[in-house]
Structures are given as structure tokens and as C-alpha cells.
Amino acid sequence: MLPRKRRAALTVTALIAAATAAVGTVPAAQAAPATPTCQAAGLSLSVGQEQGAAGSILVPVNFTNTSTHTCALRGFPGVSVLDVNHHQIGSPASRDGSPVTTVAVRPGRTVSATIRTNDAGTGLACQRTSDYLGIYPPAGFQQMLIPYRLQVCGVFETGPVQAAG
């Protein structure tokens, strides 16, 4: 006969094994399908109307789902300013610290993230003006380019992707 502690350990192990086996027998059709992450190939990129606010320049970057299925974006895009030869000017945008949510993007729908820098008139150090923005969608590995002239002065940050308001 096994000692009491050894029997208890074997019983717990048997219960865990039984529970694991039971979970594995759930038919795949019953599992909720996850919404796939939006990929650059299924998105089009545009820049909205630049706005000024208290010494800042705010630039909305719009992601439109051009695929035939709903996809999801969560988090911050990667944003860099680039010269005419697509070389990066300065450092990429930092994240602004805003809370992140997952946004489902149906086909043909648009979501956006906001880029912020300081106005050149604030007296902060400025970089040369870009010819392009290089954008990585959140959780993406393919950079998308869009012609856009932006002079980064002082802060350069991006907010998370959000549903259109």
C-alpha cells in the first residue's frame, strides 16, 4: 500500500490528466473562432486632416480594411518619418501611454491612430521635413509607405488604434 501523501499526489495527477483529456475532446466546431489580426496586404493607409492644438500637431493615420473578412487591430502602429530615399529621419515615434483595446475592423471600415509632434513655433529642436511616413500596423511586420510631409519637432509619439468616433 502507498503512503497517504503519495496516494493524494497520484489522485491529483489523475484528476488533472482526466480534465486535460476532457478538454481535448471538445469538437473544433464548438470552439469560438478568433478574429485574425489585420495584415498590411488587407489594409489601405491614408492620412487624415492635420490639426493643431496647444503647440502640438495631431495627424490621424487611417487604416481601412480592404479584405473580404473582419480582422482585428490592437495596440500602437510603428511610425517613422522617412526621406525621399525611404531612409529613416531620427527615431521612430514612441507610444503615448494611452490604454489599448482590440478593434474589430469589418471590410470597408476604417480605424485610426493619432501621431503627435510639436509645432515648429514652440522653439523645440526640429528634424528635417519627411517625404514619407513609414507605418507598421499594430502587430504587423510589413511596413506601409505613404507620401506625407511632416516636420518632427520635440516630441514624436503615436496613440493606439481606435474605432472611428
Side-chain angles (χ1 to χ4, degrees), residues 4-6 8 12 14 23-25 27 38-39 47-48 61-62 64 67 75-76 79 112 119 127-128 130 133 137 165:
R4 185 180 198 131
K5 285 184 180 180
R6 178 84 171 130
V12 169
V23 170
T25 62
C38 299
Q39 301 299 317
V47 178
V61 175
N62 303 312
T64 301
S67 75
F76 298 83
V79 180
S112 64
D119 187 279
Q127 300 172 5
R128 68 184 189 272
S130 72
L133 293 177

Side-chain angles (χ1 to χ4, degrees), residues 26-32:
V26 175
Q30 291 180 359

Side-chain angles (χ1 to χ4, degrees), residues 38 63-65 69-73 103-107 109-111:
C38 299
F63 298 90
T64 301
N65 182 353
H69 63 275
T70 297
C71 60
L73 288 173
V103 181
V105 190
R106 292 186 307 222
R109 299 292 186 172
T110 300
V111 297

Side-chain angles (χ1 to χ4, degrees), residues 7-28:
R7 279 189 307 214
L10 288 174
T11 302
V12 169
T13 303
L15 289 172
I16 291 171
T20 303
V23 170
T25 62
V26 175

